[in-house]
Amino acid sequence: MMADYTVRDQVAVIELDNPPVNALGSAVRAGIYDGIRKADRDPNIKAVVICGKRGTFCAGADIREFDGGKNGPWITDIGDFIDNMKKPVVAAIEGFALGGGLEVALFCHYRIALKTVRVGQPEVQIGLLPGGGGTIRLPRATGLKNALDIITTGNHVPAEKAAKMGIIDQIVTGDIIEEGIKFVKSKCNIDTSLVCLRMKTVKYSGDLDDISEAAMTKVKSKFKGAIAPIVCVKSVINSAKMPYEKGIDTEKEHFQDLRHSSQSKAMRYAFFAERAITRWQLPSGGNYKTAKPLPVKTSGVIGAGTMGGGIALCLITSGIPCILVEQNQQFLDKGLEIVKAQLMRTVQLGKLSTEQAKKCFTMLKPTTNIEDLKNVDLVIEAVYEDLKLKREIFEKLDRICKSETILCTNTSSLHIDSIATATKRQSKVVGTHFFAPSYIMKLLENIYGTKTSAETVATVMKLGKTIKKVPVLVGSCTGFVANRMLKPYSEEAQYCLEEGSTPSIVDTVLMDFGMPIGNFQVSDLSGLDIGFRIKREAARKAGVELSKNSRFFLGQRNCGLIEKLYEAGRMGKKNGKGWYKYESLNGKPIVDPEVTMLIEEHCRSLGIERRNIGSQEILERMQYAMINEGFKILEEGLCTMAEEIDVIWIYGFSWPKYMGGPMYYASQIGLKKIYEKVCYYHKTFPYSMHWVPSSLLAKLSQIDLPLSEWGDVAQGRKLVNKL
Ligand SMILES: CCCCCCCC/C=C\C/C=C/C(=O)SCCNC(=O)CCNC(=O)[C@H](O)C(C)(C)COP(=O)(O)OP(=O)(O)OC[C@H]1O[C@@H](n2cnc3c(N)ncnc32)[C@H](O)[C@@H]1OP(=O)(O)O
């Protein structure tokens, strides 16, 4: 049994025991069910405490069971039994009560919790609804409005707030079991039916149909394309519409449908992928188990632009004091304004109180003197992408900073070694690639150089977590993983334009797929000058001319449209015209006939015949080219597992979690089909390097291996016979 049963002072104590988070696997459910029946039968038992071992109550159902699943009592059998018990049952909560964990607590007559507890129904984040009575019982505990909010967002609720909402009956301090026993003994004379949630009505104000419609509209716009939030709303509304039993039965049906849905399967994959990538390893042998992170108690950021300012904000809002360095007072003042404005926005969003924001701001020390960084534990350089400048800064930092200081570069494309070699501490130099806007975007691409030590990697991986990012470790190459994969994706989008499509058609195809924003809208947001400069720099390095009228550049297919738009003064959203036009800085993209004409003229002048390109072709070309690049990245050992690539796309480019990430998506389509299509496009477009098929993809397309083993095959950790 995975729930311990002991008796103390005539109280049965049922302790959930399933490391690490007491997930409600079938054995745990059986343990609780048997425990309450035993306690009910025993005349010497007056009351029951349900609690969890190892400082936590329960993190919900065992997510791994959802794919097949062992039998065992259904979770609501426990609730049905407790509902008929005369002996009081209390949930004594410490740590977390999430998902099925909170549902078990809601089966109990009472809930007490330590102040540090967090409760929630996060099922929606793995494409499910709370299928153990949560959508029917939580509204009875806290009212329809709160329940809708908790269940459709999946957000955790801190204990004191949960108490105010009526979810927790009492906040306690001290030993949770002792407190539970004391509490439940004081309730032995109370008629349990009076406190049983099943018996309560659901409180709400207004018209139920209006509430339902408003909630539907909200979730459809907030979680575009996701099914689970819609089903969550339906089921919570049922709690007020239907008798308890009917509500529970309908909820179970919804739960089973969602459990088998492709969206939930993808989101469950993403849940474990996010955890798998924390188990990083370096080619040199260091890994997450053996390497110890250094403490980062103080930090510095160089560059107070939007990127640097945002990074500094991440640090101070996570309690790490930061010295922000700019080259002159004017730039520094401008940067500080950006930081202040962002902090104020955080206050407006209710994420920080005014007091907390003020306190954070005191942790920021602005300066124009780089020497002020001499004693900090870690510095993040965030100046613009110029190798010479970055090398100069690193050479200076190496001289100024104490020998233990870790030096990070926020580069999006430059090789780490090309910067690290400016110092005499290459083992302490590492890439930390933040994504714009750096305060908001969750991804942190950490990049090791040839000599970066495991200790340095461990430090930036831990720092990433501390500042609430999702850190992913990758090897160094041009563009690293994120931008390297983005390149073929965006190039194919442009080729589709010159072959017959338009920016709005391409973007609509992507958004219909589930991307929150299209490729050309992103390009307008970052600025067309960026794309233009990258190309100009590549041409300069290669010692060739950049020609907007040539169909070839450096031996590869070229599309000169960016150059033409740039020359026409179209810089993107910042000046109101790019691939689209904009009426204001916050305005929506509007199709601009001038751009259509420009594209058509481009094609005429180069003799390119335009044709109708279907949405399937657009999607396939952009995605398969990028997926093929993903396999090359695995093949080259820049990632050690395919999960890393998926997490990068989910958190760096907002790939919909319910599609799992590009590599997971590829696994669902089938690698054989992807490989054949890549070969077909390679034949059709021989001058695009990105269509040269990855040999790893070729290998894997012949066998049926789970995605979790692709990295092992790539790196020879798994040998496959037939190959
Ligand atoms: C035939 C089908 C039978 C089905 C029977 C179903 C009965 C119940 C019916 C329905 C309704 C209930 C549904 C649910 O409860 S769904 C689950 C809802 N809960 C969650 O989504 C919470 C998930 N967990 C977390 O958010 C976090 O883990 C955390 C906040 C609890 C702790 O965070 P942290 O300290 O950062 O630790 P990790 O995230 O790294 O987790 C540690 C370790 O534990 C694994 N793990 C966590 N939660 C679960 C879980 N619910 N099931 C299985 N495993 C879990 C996690 O994966 C880590 O392990 P690792 O991958 O090996 O590293």
Side-chain angles (χ1 to χ4, degrees):
M1 281 307 135
M2 286 165 98
D4 263 14
Y5 183 95
T6 52
V7 177
R8 298 198 211 169
D9 203 11
Q10 290 193 294
V11 174
V13 177
I14 301 171
E15 276 180 281
L16 279 51
D17 182 10
N18 185 16
V21 290
N22 298 331
L24 285 174
S26 57
V28 178
R29 295 196 302 277
I32 304 173
Y33 193 52
D34 290 348
I36 48 171
R37 283 189 304 171
K38 187 169 166 185
D40 195 49
R41 274 196 312 266
D42 186 341
N44 293 318
I45 298 292
K46 300 283 178 243
V48 182
V49 172
I50 302 184
C51 53
K53 289 204 165 170
R54 285 168 300 278
T56 200
F57 188 73
C58 170
D62 184 340
I63 300 169
R64 292 188 202 271
E65 270 190 7
F66 293 154
D67 282 335
K70 295 179 197 140
N71 295 324
W74 186 255
I75 182 169
T76 50
D77 295 348
I78 299 170
D80 290 344
F81 192 86
I82 296 178
D83 283 345
N84 289 313
M85 279 174 76
K86 301 271 178 291
K87 300 174 184 179
V89 183
V90 66
I93 309 171
E94 55 183 340
F96 291 102
L98 299 174
L102 180 57
E103 290 171 321
V104 167
L106 293 169
F107 296 150
C108 298
H109 301 114
Y110 302 98
R111 289 153 292 282
I112 64 165
L114 297 183
K115 204 173 158 182
T116 47
V117 157
R118 284 196 281 157
V119 302
Q121 299 286 179
E123 290 88 339
V124 71
Q125 292 171 358
I126 47 170
L128 297 171
L129 57 53
T135 64
I136 308 301
R137 281 189 182 246
L138 190 64
R140 284 172 159 76
T142 181
L144 207 60
K145 186 174 175 292
N146 286 342
L148 274 171
D149 186 45
I150 294 171
I151 291 173
T152 57
T153 61
N155 289 343
H156 294 178
V157 185
E160 283 177 327
K161 190 169 176 198
K164 282 193 191 127
M165 288 176 156
I167 302 168
I168 303 287
D169 295 294
Q170 195 171 307
I171 303 286
V172 295
T173 47
D175 180 83
I176 195 69
I177 300 184
E178 295 302 326
E179 291 301 316
I181 295 172
K182 200 162 74 186
F183 181 93
V184 82
K185 282 183 80 177
S186 73
K187 304 291 182 190
C188 285
N189 296 324
I190 290 176
D191 176 357
T192 51
S193 70
L194 297 176
V195 285
C196 176
L197 283 175
R198 176 197 288 251
M199 304 303 186
K200 306 233 161 160
T201 52
V202 176
K203 291 205 174 67
Y204 61 91
S205 56
D207 178 78
L208 200 53
D209 288 337
D210 291 345
I211 298 174
S212 169
E213 206 183 306
M216 282 295 182
T217 312
K218 191 170 166 186
V219 298
K220 281 182 187 165
S221 90
K222 200 166 169 192
F223 310 108
K224 230 183 95 222
I227 306 165
I230 295 173
V231 186
C232 283
V233 172
K234 270 189 200 156
S235 196
V236 175
I237 295 293
N238 283 347
S239 73
K241 256 190 190 160
M242 295 178 173
Y244 177 86
E245 289 73 14
K246 178 125 194 277
I248 289 281
D249 288 348
T250 316
E251 180 199 76
K252 188 171 171 183
E253 280 168 26
H254 284 320
F255 176 80
Q256 294 293 23
D257 289 345
L258 287 175
R259 179 165 78 88
H260 295 294
S261 70
S262 60
Q263 288 202 354
S264 177
K265 284 181 186 161
M267 291 172 98
R268 273 142 43 195
Y269 157 78
F271 174 87
F272 289 112
E274 242 179 82
R275 278 135 189 103
I277 59 150
T278 60
R279 297 186 272 275
W280 57 268
Q281 52 183 319
L282 286 172
S284 57
N287 63 48
Y288 73 102
K289 272 196 215 150
T290 51
K292 283 232 169 344
L294 292 173
V296 180
K297 295 205 174 107
T298 52
S299 66
V301 169
I302 303 183
T306 352
M307 204 44 142
I311 298 171
L313 199 52
C314 293
L315 291 159
I316 57 172
T317 51
S318 307
I320 304 174
C322 174
I323 298 175
L324 182 61
V325 185
E326 249 306 346
Q327 50 178 314
N328 63 44
Q329 196 60 41
Q330 192 197 350
F331 287 178
L332 192 59
D333 291 344
K334 209 169 151 206
L336 286 176
E337 283 313 310
I338 298 173
V339 175
K340 265 192 209 153
Q342 186 59 265
L343 258 179
M344 270 169 52
R345 176 136 182 75
T346 317
V347 173
Q348 279 158 6
L349 290 173
K351 293 187 177 162
L352 284 181
S353 67
T354 314
E355 281 315 300
Q356 285 169 321
K358 276 187 187 155
K359 197 173 160 210
C360 282
F361 202 65
T362 61
M363 279 196 265
L364 191 68
K365 298 276 174 263
T367 179
T368 51
N369 185 2
I370 197 170
E371 305 267 342
D372 290 349
L373 295 176
K374 61 176 185 282
N375 287 323
V376 298
D377 296 327
L378 178 139
V379 179
I380 302 175
E381 161 278 307
V383 302
Y384 59 88
E385 208 73 331
D386 178 317
L387 181 59
K388 191 164 161 273
L389 176 64
K390 284 188 191 261
R391 279 184 66 87
E392 272 167 28
I393 291 174
F394 271 72
E395 190 266 324
K396 235 186 235 172
L397 286 172
D398 193 30
R399 251 189 302 112
I400 295 166
C401 296
K402 60 181 179 182
S403 58
E404 303 85 37
T405 305
I406 289 179
L407 306 180
C408 312
T409 170
N410 174 54
T411 167
S412 59
S413 61
L414 300 170
H415 275 271
I416 303 308
D417 288 353
S418 68
I419 298 168
T421 47
T423 73
K424 293 191 186 73
R425 58 173 96 185
Q426 291 192 52
S427 67
K428 291 196 171 288
V429 177
V430 65
T432 46
H433 177 202
F434 288 78
F435 286 68
S438 47
Y439 181 56
I440 308 285
M441 291 302 284
K442 291 286 240 177
L443 179 64
L444 176 63
E445 204 178 20
N446 285 333
I447 313 112
Y448 60 85
T450 320
K451 296 205 170 141
T452 310
S453 72
E455 182 185 67
T456 301
V457 169
T459 308
V460 289
M461 291 301 277
K462 174 148 186 252
L463 179 73
K465 278 221 142 193
T466 309
I467 62 172
K468 298 171 203 75
K469 300 285 179 204
V470 179
V472 185
L473 183 67
V474 304
S476 187
C477 64
T478 306
F480 315 128
V481 173
N483 287 341
R484 174 167 160 183
M485 285 178 79
L486 196 61
K487 190 168 176 276
Y489 180 83
S490 317
E491 281 177 357
E492 280 304 316
Q494 288 174 40
Y495 299 154
C496 285
L497 290 194
E498 49 175 28
E499 287 170 41
S501 200
T502 67
S504 76
I505 293 177
V506 171
D507 284 355
T508 306
V509 167
L510 294 173
M511 288 191 286
D512 285 349
F513 173 79
M515 300 301 286
I517 180 166
N519 173 76
F520 294 105
Q521 291 175 20
V522 174
S523 171
D524 275 353
L525 273 179
S526 9
L528 268 65
D529 48 330
I530 306 271
F532 173 76
R533 286 213 185 95
I534 291 174
K535 268 181 112 174
R536 195 176 54 188
E537 181 60 14
R540 192 193 57 77
K541 265 193 195 151
V544 294
E545 283 289 303
L546 190 59
S547 167
K548 59 188 186 238
N549 285 322
S550 166
R551 298 200 64 192
F552 295 95
F553 175 58
L554 303 177
Q556 293 294 301
R557 178 174 178 178
N558 177 51
C559 168
L561 275 172
I562 281 231
E563 292 92 314
K564 287 184 179 169
L565 265 76
Y566 177 83
E567 273 184 10
R570 307 190 74 99
M571 299 296 150
K573 202 163 184 181
K574 56 188 162 199
N575 77 340
K577 43 188 192 167
W579 296 103
Y580 296 91
K581 64 179 174 187
Y582 301 85
E583 275 165 2
S584 70
L585 255 188
N586 294 323
K588 289 208 160 72
I590 303 167
V591 172
D592 190 345
E594 247 182 50
V595 175
T596 318
M597 274 162 51
L598 201 146
I599 296 171
E600 284 169 359
E601 173 49 33
H602 168 83
C603 296
R604 251 194 312 277
S605 68
L606 293 172
I608 304 171
E609 210 168 299
R610 290 172 66 74
R611 63 185 168 95
N612 266 335
I613 308 183
S615 33
Q616 180 60 24
E617 181 180 339
I618 294 173
L619 209 56
E620 250 177 39
R621 283 173 58 183
M622 293 183 67
Q623 293 181 334
Y624 292 6
M626 165 266 272
I627 287 167
N628 189 38
E629 200 64 37
F631 280 100
K632 290 179 188 170
I633 282 167
L634 268 184
E635 202 175 296
E636 291 167 31
L638 298 162
C639 278
T640 58
M641 49 182 121
E643 287 90 337
E644 287 163 336
I645 295 175
D646 283 338
V647 173
I648 284 175
W649 272 78
I650 290 172
Y651 289 103
F653 302 128
S654 306
W655 179 281
K657 224 183 226 186
Y658 60 75
M659 291 281 196
M663 303 305 268
Y664 177 84
Y665 177 63
S667 77
Q668 299 304 293
I669 290 173
L671 297 193
K672 189 165 180 297
K673 180 172 171 200
I674 304 259
Y675 176 64
E676 282 167 4
K677 283 283 182 174
V678 168
C679 292
Y680 165 78
Y681 285 122
H682 179 42
K683 234 176 164 178
T684 315
F685 306 114
Y687 295 106
S688 293
M689 267 291 270
H690 56 241
W691 285 123
V692 175
S694 139
S695 56
L696 177 65
L697 173 61
K699 242 189 214 179
L700 291 170
S701 70
Q702 295 169 41
I703 39 170
D704 191 19
L705 268 191
L707 177 154
S708 56
E709 292 178 17
W710 295 353
D712 295 337
V713 173
Q715 284 163 50
R717 290 189 298 264
K718 183 178 179 83
L719 298 174
V720 187
N721 282 343
K722 283 197 285 181
L723 310 172

PDB file of all heavy atoms in Angstrom, residues 605-623:
ATOM      1  N   SER A 605      10.764  41.156 -62.256  1.00  0.00           N
ATOM      2  CA  SER A 605      12.123  41.535 -62.659  1.00  0.00           C
ATOM      3  C   SER A 605      13.063  40.328 -62.690  1.00  0.00           C
ATOM      4  O   SER A 605      14.040  40.310 -63.428  1.00  0.00           O
ATOM      5  CB  SER A 605      12.662  42.621 -61.733  1.00  0.00           C
ATOM      6  OG  SER A 605      12.859  42.069 -60.460  1.00  0.00           O
ATOM      7  N   LEU A 606      12.752  39.320 -61.878  1.00  0.00           N
ATOM      8  CA  LEU A 606      13.648  38.149 -61.852  1.00  0.00           C
ATOM      9  C   LEU A 606      13.093  36.983 -62.671  1.00  0.00           C
ATOM     10  O   LEU A 606      13.676  35.897 -62.683  1.00  0.00           O
ATOM     11  CB  LEU A 606      13.875  37.702 -60.405  1.00  0.00           C
ATOM     12  CG  LEU A 606      14.660  38.691 -59.531  1.00  0.00           C
ATOM     13  CD1 LEU A 606      14.666  38.240 -58.086  1.00  0.00           C
ATOM     14  CD2 LEU A 606      16.100  38.825 -60.020  1.00  0.00           C
ATOM     15  N   GLY A 607      11.973  37.220 -63.310  1.00  0.00           N
ATOM     16  CA  GLY A 607      11.376  36.164 -64.155  1.00  0.00           C
ATOM     17  C   GLY A 607      10.848  34.998 -63.344  1.00  0.00           C
ATOM     18  O   GLY A 607      10.870  33.854 -63.800  1.00  0.00           O
ATOM     19  N   ILE A 608      10.399  35.272 -62.116  1.00  0.00           N
ATOM     20  CA  ILE A 608       9.849  34.183 -61.284  1.00  0.00           C
ATOM     21  C   ILE A 608       8.347  34.089 -61.538  1.00  0.00           C
ATOM     22  O   ILE A 608       7.627  35.070 -61.356  1.00  0.00           O
ATOM     23  CB  ILE A 608      10.096  34.425 -59.781  1.00  0.00           C
ATOM     24  CG1 ILE A 608      11.583  34.624 -59.500  1.00  0.00           C
ATOM     25  CG2 ILE A 608       9.541  33.279 -58.934  1.00  0.00           C
ATOM     26  CD1 ILE A 608      11.905  35.084 -58.085  1.00  0.00           C
ATOM     27  N   GLU A 609       7.912  32.917 -61.948  1.00  0.00           N
ATOM     28  CA  GLU A 609       6.483  32.748 -62.222  1.00  0.00           C
ATOM     29  C   GLU A 609       5.753  32.475 -60.913  1.00  0.00           C
ATOM     30  O   GLU A 609       6.124  31.571 -60.166  1.00  0.00           O
ATOM     31  CB  GLU A 609       6.311  31.569 -63.168  1.00  0.00           C
ATOM     32  CG  GLU A 609       5.095  31.731 -64.055  1.00  0.00           C
ATOM     33  CD  GLU A 609       5.115  30.697 -65.164  1.00  0.00           C
ATOM     34  OE1 GLU A 609       6.068  30.709 -65.973  1.00  0.00           O
ATOM     35  OE2 GLU A 609       4.202  29.868 -65.148  1.00  0.00           O
ATOM     36  N   ARG A 610       4.720  33.266 -60.660  1.00  0.00           N
ATOM     37  CA  ARG A 610       3.974  33.065 -59.409  1.00  0.00           C
ATOM     38  C   ARG A 610       2.858  32.040 -59.594  1.00  0.00           C
ATOM     39  O   ARG A 610       2.320  31.896 -60.686  1.00  0.00           O
ATOM     40  CB  ARG A 610       3.412  34.399 -58.910  1.00  0.00           C
ATOM     41  CG  ARG A 610       4.524  35.312 -58.402  1.00  0.00           C
ATOM     42  CD  ARG A 610       4.053  36.702 -58.090  1.00  0.00           C
ATOM     43  NE  ARG A 610       3.113  36.807 -56.967  1.00  0.00           N
ATOM     44  CZ  ARG A 610       3.430  36.693 -55.687  1.00  0.00           C
ATOM     45  NH1 ARG A 610       4.680  36.452 -55.345  1.00  0.00           N
ATOM     46  NH2 ARG A 610       2.514  36.831 -54.755  1.00  0.00           N
ATOM     47  N   ARG A 611       2.568  31.310 -58.526  1.00  0.00           N
ATOM     48  CA  ARG A 611       1.524  30.270 -58.607  1.00  0.00           C
ATOM     49  C   ARG A 611       0.774  30.254 -57.280  1.00  0.00           C
ATOM     50  O   ARG A 611       1.203  30.897 -56.307  1.00  0.00           O
ATOM     51  CB  ARG A 611       2.167  28.903 -58.863  1.00  0.00           C
ATOM     52  CG  ARG A 611       3.072  28.456 -57.736  1.00  0.00           C
ATOM     53  CD  ARG A 611       3.806  27.158 -58.024  1.00  0.00           C
ATOM     54  NE  ARG A 611       4.842  26.939 -57.034  1.00  0.00           N
ATOM     55  CZ  ARG A 611       4.716  26.201 -55.934  1.00  0.00           C
ATOM     56  NH1 ARG A 611       3.573  25.591 -55.673  1.00  0.00           N
ATOM     57  NH2 ARG A 611       5.710  26.050 -55.092  1.00  0.00           N
ATOM     58  N   ASN A 612      -0.307  29.500 -57.238  1.00  0.00           N
ATOM     59  CA  ASN A 612      -1.032  29.357 -55.985  1.00  0.00           C
ATOM     60  C   ASN A 612      -0.320  28.343 -55.100  1.00  0.00           C
ATOM     61  O   ASN A 612      -0.115  27.210 -55.527  1.00  0.00           O
ATOM     62  CB  ASN A 612      -2.439  28.824 -56.262  1.00  0.00           C
ATOM     63  CG  ASN A 612      -3.416  29.965 -56.375  1.00  0.00           C
ATOM     64  OD1 ASN A 612      -3.176  31.041 -55.814  1.00  0.00           O
ATOM     65  ND2 ASN A 612      -4.491  29.738 -57.118  1.00  0.00           N
ATOM     66  N   ILE A 613       0.040  28.751 -53.902  1.00  0.00           N
ATOM     67  CA  ILE A 613       0.679  27.769 -53.005  1.00  0.00           C
ATOM     68  C   ILE A 613      -0.312  27.442 -51.897  1.00  0.00           C
ATOM     69  O   ILE A 613      -0.763  28.344 -51.181  1.00  0.00           O
ATOM     70  CB  ILE A 613       1.973  28.333 -52.386  1.00  0.00           C
ATOM     71  CG1 ILE A 613       2.880  28.870 -53.487  1.00  0.00           C
ATOM     72  CG2 ILE A 613       2.703  27.286 -51.567  1.00  0.00           C
ATOM     73  CD1 ILE A 613       4.203  29.388 -52.991  1.00  0.00           C
ATOM     74  N   GLY A 614      -0.633  26.189 -51.748  1.00  0.00           N
ATOM     75  CA  GLY A 614      -1.618  25.770 -50.741  1.00  0.00           C
ATOM     76  C   GLY A 614      -1.054  25.888 -49.330  1.00  0.00           C
ATOM     77  O   GLY A 614       0.166  25.914 -49.127  1.00  0.00           O
ATOM     78  N   SER A 615      -1.966  25.931 -48.353  1.00  0.00           N
ATOM     79  CA  SER A 615      -1.510  26.091 -46.961  1.00  0.00           C
ATOM     80  C   SER A 615      -0.685  24.891 -46.504  1.00  0.00           C
ATOM     81  O   SER A 615       0.269  25.031 -45.743  1.00  0.00           O
ATOM     82  CB  SER A 615      -2.676  26.318 -46.010  1.00  0.00           C
ATOM     83  OG  SER A 615      -3.807  25.634 -46.416  1.00  0.00           O
ATOM     84  N   GLN A 616      -1.035  23.696 -47.000  1.00  0.00           N
ATOM     85  CA  GLN A 616      -0.277  22.508 -46.593  1.00  0.00           C
ATOM     86  C   GLN A 616       1.192  22.646 -47.011  1.00  0.00           C
ATOM     87  O   GLN A 616       2.109  22.351 -46.247  1.00  0.00           O
ATOM     88  CB  GLN A 616      -0.926  21.262 -47.231  1.00  0.00           C
ATOM     89  CG  GLN A 616      -0.255  19.947 -46.896  1.00  0.00           C
ATOM     90  CD  GLN A 616      -0.248  19.663 -45.390  1.00  0.00           C
ATOM     91  OE1 GLN A 616      -1.083  20.168 -44.647  1.00  0.00           O
ATOM     92  NE2 GLN A 616       0.720  18.880 -44.932  1.00  0.00           N
ATOM     93  N   GLU A 617       1.389  23.141 -48.245  1.00  0.00           N
ATOM     94  CA  GLU A 617       2.773  23.290 -48.734  1.00  0.00           C
ATOM     95  C   GLU A 617       3.540  24.335 -47.909  1.00  0.00           C
ATOM     96  O   GLU A 617       4.699  24.119 -47.539  1.00  0.00           O
ATOM     97  CB  GLU A 617       2.792  23.674 -50.222  1.00  0.00           C
ATOM     98  CG  GLU A 617       4.229  23.799 -50.726  1.00  0.00           C
ATOM     99  CD  GLU A 617       4.361  24.186 -52.198  1.00  0.00           C
ATOM    100  OE1 GLU A 617       3.401  23.985 -52.963  1.00  0.00           O
ATOM    101  OE2 GLU A 617       5.448  24.701 -52.552  1.00  0.00           O
ATOM    102  N   ILE A 618       2.861  25.437 -47.604  1.00  0.00           N
ATOM    103  CA  ILE A 618       3.542  26.487 -46.812  1.00  0.00           C
ATOM    104  C   ILE A 618       3.988  25.913 -45.468  1.00  0.00           C
ATOM    105  O   ILE A 618       5.146  26.049 -45.061  1.00  0.00           O
ATOM    106  CB  ILE A 618       2.587  27.693 -46.588  1.00  0.00           C
ATOM    107  CG1 ILE A 618       2.284  28.375 -47.931  1.00  0.00           C
ATOM    108  CG2 ILE A 618       3.182  28.685 -45.590  1.00  0.00           C
ATOM    109  CD1 ILE A 618       1.235  29.470 -47.860  1.00  0.00           C
ATOM    110  N   LEU A 619       3.039  25.238 -44.811  1.00  0.00           N
ATOM    111  CA  LEU A 619       3.326  24.693 -43.487  1.00  0.00           C
ATOM    112  C   LEU A 619       4.453  23.662 -43.554  1.00  0.00           C
ATOM    113  O   LEU A 619       5.406  23.703 -42.779  1.00  0.00           O
ATOM    114  CB  LEU A 619       2.042  24.044 -42.954  1.00  0.00           C
ATOM    115  CG  LEU A 619       1.845  24.008 -41.464  1.00  0.00           C
ATOM    116  CD1 LEU A 619       1.913  25.405 -40.873  1.00  0.00           C
ATOM    117  CD2 LEU A 619       0.483  23.392 -41.129  1.00  0.00           C
ATOM    118  N   GLU A 620       4.314  22.758 -44.526  1.00  0.00           N
ATOM    119  CA  GLU A 620       5.307  21.694 -44.675  1.00  0.00           C
ATOM    120  C   GLU A 620       6.703  22.252 -44.930  1.00  0.00           C
ATOM    121  O   GLU A 620       7.668  21.839 -44.284  1.00  0.00           O
ATOM    122  CB  GLU A 620       4.929  20.874 -45.908  1.00  0.00           C
ATOM    123  CG  GLU A 620       4.441  19.495 -45.609  1.00  0.00           C
ATOM    124  CD  GLU A 620       4.030  18.803 -46.889  1.00  0.00           C
ATOM    125  OE1 GLU A 620       4.694  18.946 -47.946  1.00  0.00           O
ATOM    126  OE2 GLU A 620       3.028  18.106 -46.818  1.00  0.00           O
ATOM    127  N   ARG A 621       6.773  23.200 -45.832  1.00  0.00           N
ATOM    128  CA  ARG A 621       8.102  23.709 -46.185  1.00  0.00           C
ATOM    129  C   ARG A 621       8.750  24.420 -45.009  1.00  0.00           C
ATOM    130  O   ARG A 621       9.942  24.253 -44.741  1.00  0.00           O
ATOM    131  CB  ARG A 621       8.013  24.605 -47.415  1.00  0.00           C
ATOM    132  CG  ARG A 621       7.868  23.770 -48.679  1.00  0.00           C
ATOM    133  CD  ARG A 621       7.614  24.608 -49.892  1.00  0.00           C
ATOM    134  NE  ARG A 621       8.653  25.598 -50.148  1.00  0.00           N
ATOM    135  CZ  ARG A 621       8.593  26.483 -51.149  1.00  0.00           C
ATOM    136  NH1 ARG A 621       7.549  26.473 -51.973  1.00  0.00           N
ATOM    137  NH2 ARG A 621       9.569  27.352 -51.343  1.00  0.00           N
ATOM    138  N   MET A 622       7.971  25.242 -44.315  1.00  0.00           N
ATOM    139  CA  MET A 622       8.565  25.958 -43.175  1.00  0.00           C
ATOM    140  C   MET A 622       8.926  24.983 -42.056  1.00  0.00           C
ATOM    141  O   MET A 622      10.015  25.047 -41.489  1.00  0.00           O
ATOM    142  CB  MET A 622       7.583  27.023 -42.660  1.00  0.00           C
ATOM    143  CG  MET A 622       7.368  28.138 -43.650  1.00  0.00           C
ATOM    144  SD  MET A 622       6.287  29.424 -43.023  1.00  0.00           S
ATOM    145  CE  MET A 622       7.257  30.142 -41.704  1.00  0.00           C
ATOM    146  N   GLN A 623       7.998  24.081 -41.761  1.00  0.00           N
ATOM    147  CA  GLN A 623       8.223  23.212 -40.599  1.00  0.00           C
ATOM    148  C   GLN A 623       9.206  22.081 -40.879  1.00  0.00           C
ATOM    149  O   GLN A 623      10.059  21.780 -40.056  1.00  0.00           O
ATOM    150  CB  GLN A 623       6.882  22.648 -40.114  1.00  0.00           C
ATOM    151  CG  GLN A 623       5.993  23.748 -39.559  1.00  0.00           C
ATOM    152  CD  GLN A 623       4.674  23.236 -39.042  1.00  0.00           C
ATOM    153  OE1 GLN A 623       4.202  22.206 -39.483  1.00  0.00           O
ATOM    154  NE2 GLN A 623       4.079  23.954 -38.115  1.00  0.00           N
TER     155      GLN A 623
END
